[in-house]
Amino acid sequence: MREELMEILREQRPDVDFEVEQALIDDEILDSFDIVSLVSELNDNFDIAINVDDLLPENFNSADAMLELIQKLQEEG
């Protein structure tokens, strides 16, 4: 699952090192357009539904945080 997420992230923003970045939102590396596009990709690829309540910086600041969100939503789903 992690490798699939990393592939999606690299396709979206090949200029960002998602392996090391821990403040993607806080440091404004990802903007709102990136997030909208990313949410769509994650929903489709992982068969989840990220809703407005999930759109918090802490859920998108790092690849690990996104992975945790995906796993939580899959367990709930």
Side-chain angles (χ1 to χ4, degrees):
M1 183 185 310
R2 180 177 174 75
E3 199 47 50
E4 188 177 352
L5 172 61
M6 296 308 286
E7 188 176 318
I8 291 167
L9 293 171
R10 283 190 292 266
E11 285 176 11
Q12 294 260 325
R13 291 290 305 272
D15 58 314
V16 176
D17 186 352
F18 289 99
E19 294 288 349
V20 297
E21 284 295 340
Q22 296 294 311
L24 294 166
I25 305 301
D26 293 343
D27 290 348
E28 299 178 358
I29 295 167
L30 297 181
D31 61 24
S32 57
F33 179 78
D34 292 325
I35 295 300
V36 169
S37 181
L38 184 57
V39 164
S40 176
E41 286 290 318
L42 296 179
N43 283 343
D44 291 347
N45 282 277
F46 294 103
D47 194 30
I48 57 175
I50 297 172
N51 63 45
V52 175
D53 294 337
D54 299 317
L55 296 178
L56 304 170
E58 57 264 27
N59 287 336
F60 293 92
N61 261 329
S62 69
D64 288 337
M66 289 181 234
L67 193 58
E68 285 181 35
L69 175 64
I70 292 165
Q71 290 170 333
K72 181 186 88 149
L73 293 172
Q74 285 180 331
E75 288 170 10
E76 290 174 0

